[in-house]
């Protein structure tokens, strides 16, 4: 027998599911979260759920919000459930489920409604998961793209904005006029210096309105950086059926995630914050070292296994990690070339962090896929791999493993795996990447030109030599034999 998830079932949950260990009626809102996706509900919402269960922070409940059609769709799914979410942790030792009750409302998906809610003095933090592409970054300068049509539309009508940043600036100005302290803007997106990116967008929008507004926001609004981590697959019929069949609940929008979570935050919250350190959040003065650790070791590790695994025909990440060639390639590359480039963090063992990452990658319950890791290589490689190569070259250190990773990416961009099966290249720069791969692997002349996507490495002699050697080995030996030779120290 199954039950439909809503507040009426909280007192009759089966023993296999834990419910909120607090009275939701005692909660009051302190945070508006924009972008109520799976990651937010598996991460920030769970940390607050745990804090409330300790009997603390009950004035920091979450109000969901958003401005996109998919936000409206999420609101419609969650409303009949009284904003409750089933969160299933995919522990290979056994699944566990909890009903998360830390979100108590969801603003109508309408800019005016959101603006009114943000003006409420009780709201002291506005958090966001709006994706890496939601910050209106100019691809050429890296600064705020004030020329974007959506931003221009807001600038022409700032009292009725339609973008997140237009609404945030309007709300901050409304609070200023009413003598209400500004809220803290807390990005929870998985990108480097997410607080700085949020600040760039908010202040950039404000500056396009007036320098006075921009200066006031820059001086008075906090934008803490944070590092977030929790593998959270998309929800589909598989996940809904899992919750129904295993736990007896009908949930229109459950979340499944790995049991690992990490959140490192700069402690800059002028108007207060929940005591999240009591439930595992690490508050630090500077998040940058932790970000670099994650970018190079975890994200770089994903990149390291992605293309070799795809070329060898693996689909699931856990299956790739069960292949000794992939697993040993990852460990050797990390230990020999990646870990030595990460500055020490007091109290943190990079060796232990790598072991944890490899265990996470090997978790079959998560069902993460190699095609997902291969997505958007022209955006990911410059963040996760190329800076490590540059760092090692600047120190005069060898880069054979990292050059091999880059050559495997290039071989992947050719569009076929080792067995001749077609690979669909999902990348905004797919045509440029295919031309590059053809010049490296299909040209009889042996001459090729590195794409500008590689930045200053495209003309770096030491990198070009190592890349050429790796590509020649892949072309002549094949992927598997090249990996074997690398593991033996022969290439």
């Amino acid at each position: 027998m199954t039950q439909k998830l809503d507040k009426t079932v909280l007192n009759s949950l089966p023993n296999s599911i834990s419910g909120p260990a607090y009275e939701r009626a005692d909660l009051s809102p302190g945070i508006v979260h924009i972008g109520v996706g799976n990651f937010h509900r598996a991460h920030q919402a769970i940390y607050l759920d745990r804090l409330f269960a300790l009997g603390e922070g009950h004035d920091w409940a979450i109000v969901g919000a958003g401005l996109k059609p998919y936000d409206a769709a999420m609101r419609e799914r969650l409303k009949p459930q009284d904003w409750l979410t089933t969160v299933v942790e995919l522990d290979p030792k056994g699944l566990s489920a909890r009903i998360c009750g830390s979100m108590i409302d969801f603003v109508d998906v309408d800019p005016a409604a959101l603006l009114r809610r943000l003006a409420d003095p009780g709201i002291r933090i506005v958090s966001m998961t709006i994706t890496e592409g939601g910050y209106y970054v100019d691809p050429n300068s890296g600064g705020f793209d004030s020329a974007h049509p959506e931003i221009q539309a807001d600038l022409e009508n700032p009292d009725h904005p339609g973008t997140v940043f237009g609404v945030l600036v309007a709300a901050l100005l409304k609070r200023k006029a009413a003598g209400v302290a500004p809220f803290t803007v807390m990005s929870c997106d998985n990108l480097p210096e997410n607080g700085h990116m949020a600040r760039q967008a908010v202040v950039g929008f404000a500056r396009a309105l007036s320098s006075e507004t921009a200066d006031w926001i820059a001086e008075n609004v906090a934008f803490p950086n944070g590092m977030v981590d929790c593998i959270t697959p998309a929800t589909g019929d598989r996940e809904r059926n899992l919750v129904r069949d295993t736990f007896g609940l009908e949930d229109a929008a459950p979340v499944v995630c790995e049991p690992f979570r990490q959140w490192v935050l700069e402690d800059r919250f002028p108007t207060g914050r929940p005591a999240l350190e009591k439930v595992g959040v690490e508050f630090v003065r500077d998040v940058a070292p932790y970000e670099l650790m994650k970018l190079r070791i975890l994200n770089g590790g994903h990149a390291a296994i992605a293309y070799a695994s795809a070329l060898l025909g693996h689909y699931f990440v856990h299956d790739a990690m069960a292949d000794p060639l992939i697993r040993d390639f990852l460990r050797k590359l990390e230990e020999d070339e990646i870990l030595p480039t990460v500055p020490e963090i007091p109290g943190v063992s990079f060796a232990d962090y790598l072991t944890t990452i490899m265990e996470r990658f090997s978790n079959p319950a998560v069902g993460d896929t190699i095609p997902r890791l291969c997505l958007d290589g022209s955006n990911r490689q410059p963040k996760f791999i190329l800076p490590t190569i540059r760092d090692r070259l600047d120190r005069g250190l060898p880069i054979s493993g990292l050059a091999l990773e880059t050559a495997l990416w290039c071989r992947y961009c050719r569009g076929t795996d080792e067995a001749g099966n077609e690979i669909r290249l999902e990348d905004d720069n797919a045509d440029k990447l295919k031309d590059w791969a053809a010049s490296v692997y299909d040209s009889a002349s042996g001459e090729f030109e590195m794409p500008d996507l590689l930045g200053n490495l495209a003309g770096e002699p030491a990198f070009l030599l190592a890349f050429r050697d790796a590509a020649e080995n892949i072309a002549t030996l094949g992927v598997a034999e090249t990996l074997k030779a690398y593991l033996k120290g022969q290439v």
Side-chain angles (χ1 to χ4, degrees):
M1 179 179 176
T2 61
Q3 303 180 84
K4 185 180 180 301
L5 177 61
D6 61 28
K7 64 184 179 182
T8 65
V9 306
L10 294 181
N11 293 325
S12 59
L13 292 172
N15 292 334
S16 58
I17 307 174
S18 60
Y22 49 88
E23 291 294 332
R24 295 180 78 223
D26 294 339
L27 303 181
S28 59
I31 299 171
V32 168
H33 183 83
I34 302 173
V36 183
N38 281 16
F39 181 79
H40 163 70
R41 293 182 294 145
H43 195 261
Q44 179 184 350
I46 289 293
Y47 278 106
L48 285 162
D49 188 71
R50 290 174 174 173
L51 181 66
F52 299 162
L54 297 179
E56 302 216 16
H58 287 186
D59 59 339
W60 288 104
I62 300 168
V63 175
L67 296 173
K68 301 291 186 181
Y70 48 77
D71 296 312
M74 180 61 76
R75 186 179 189 277
E76 289 307 304
R77 287 193 289 270
L78 293 177
K79 184 177 181 181
Q81 301 180 181
D82 301 305
W83 321 118
L84 296 166
T85 292
T86 309
V87 179
V88 178
E89 293 192 354
L90 301 170
D91 191 328
K93 299 176 183 177
L95 305 183
S96 63
R98 68 187 296 150
I99 306 303
C100 182
S102 55
M103 188 169 74
I104 60 172
D105 198 1
F106 199 129
V107 184
D108 286 339
V109 179
D110 171 72
L114 177 54
L115 181 56
R116 287 193 297 272
R117 199 60 182 257
L118 295 179
D120 178 357
I123 300 302
R124 288 148 287 162
I125 296 174
V126 178
S127 54
M128 302 184 294
T129 44
I130 56 175
T131 77
E132 291 183 23
Y135 289 79
Y136 297 95
V137 177
D138 186 316
N140 296 314
S141 69
F144 179 64
D145 185 6
S146 61
H148 192 284
E150 293 176 358
I151 297 299
Q152 284 294 308
D154 275 10
L155 292 172
E156 292 170 6
N157 195 9
D159 293 331
H160 297 89
T163 69
V164 169
F165 300 108
V167 170
L168 289 178
V169 170
L172 287 166
L173 289 175
K174 194 170 184 178
R175 291 171 75 109
K176 179 175 182 284
V180 175
F183 45 70
T184 295
V185 178
M186 180 176 72
S187 172
C188 298
D189 278 299
N190 185 26
L191 74 168
E193 298 187 322
N194 54 14
H196 292 163
M197 296 300 291
R199 185 181 191 277
Q200 174 176 280
V202 173
V203 174
F205 183 92
R207 195 163 300 284
L209 286 175
S210 77
S211 58
E212 180 184 359
T213 298
D215 291 344
W216 178 80
I217 290 175
E219 292 171 6
N220 293 280
V221 180
F223 299 86
N225 287 305
M227 186 269 270
V228 296
D229 193 8
C230 180
I231 296 174
T232 310
T235 294
D237 289 340
R238 171 180 175 263
E239 288 70 32
R240 284 185 285 269
N241 292 341
L242 170 68
V243 171
R244 181 195 64 207
D245 298 341
T246 306
F247 299 102
L249 279 180
E250 295 283 351
D251 186 336
V255 172
V256 300
C257 61
E258 65 171 338
F260 177 92
R261 287 179 185 81
Q262 188 174 20
W263 195 3
V264 184
L265 259 176
E266 290 175 353
D267 199 356
R268 294 194 292 116
F269 294 83
T271 52
R273 63 166 176 80
L276 291 168
E277 67 274 13
K278 296 184 178 182
V279 288
V281 176
E282 300 168 74
F283 284 96
V284 299
R285 295 176 64 89
D286 184 9
V287 170
Y290 295 86
E291 288 180 337
L292 187 63
M293 175 184 74
K294 177 175 178 285
L295 286 171
R296 294 201 175 178
I297 302 175
L298 186 144
N299 297 118
H302 265 154
I305 68 172
Y307 305 107
S309 299
L311 291 167
L312 293 177
H314 294 298
Y315 181 78
F316 286 108
V317 174
H318 63 268
D319 287 336
M321 290 298 292
D323 181 339
L325 277 181
I326 299 298
R327 185 184 63 248
D328 294 348
F329 172 59
L330 172 61
R331 182 175 290 281
K332 180 176 173 59
L333 177 61
E334 291 270 18
E335 292 179 344
D336 289 0
E337 297 187 23
I338 295 178
L339 267 63
T341 71
V342 184
E344 290 185 6
I345 301 174
V348 176
S349 165
F350 295 153
D352 291 348
Y353 184 64
L354 175 60
T355 297
T356 299
I357 284 170
M358 294 184 69
E359 291 172 353
R360 293 168 64 193
F361 289 1
S362 302
N363 185 348
V366 173
D368 202 5
T369 68
I370 292 298
R372 185 189 76 82
L373 302 190
C374 292
L375 287 173
D376 202 20
S378 67
N379 181 46
R380 294 181 176 186
Q381 290 281 310
K383 292 185 175 73
F384 306 147
I385 294 293
L386 303 187
T388 310
I389 296 175
R390 180 76 270 168
D391 196 349
R392 290 187 66 82
L393 289 175
D394 289 346
R395 301 185 198 184
L397 299 173
I399 57 165
S400 60
L402 290 163
L404 174 55
E405 189 281 339
T406 311
L408 288 164
W409 172 42
C410 180
R411 172 61 182 82
Y412 172 87
C413 294
R414 188 181 181 193
T416 58
D417 66 15
E418 286 279 272
N421 300 309
E422 182 179 357
I423 288 174
R424 182 180 177 186
L425 187 58
E426 296 192 39
D427 194 296
D428 289 342
N429 292 289
D431 290 342
K432 183 181 292 189
L433 293 172
K434 287 177 181 177
D435 289 344
W436 173 42
S439 74
V440 172
Y441 288 101
D442 298 329
S443 173
S445 69
E447 297 298 322
F448 56 84
E449 184 174 340
M450 303 294 270
D452 56 7
L453 298 168
L454 299 177
N456 59 16
L457 289 176
E460 173 66 52
F463 172 67
L464 291 174
L465 179 61
F467 174 85
R468 184 185 294 274
D469 288 346
E472 288 178 354
N473 285 322
I474 292 170
T476 56
L477 301 176
V479 172
E481 293 302 318
T482 300
L483 290 176
K484 290 177 184 177
Y486 170 73
L487 293 172
K488 293 177 182 177
Q490 297 172 349
V491 297

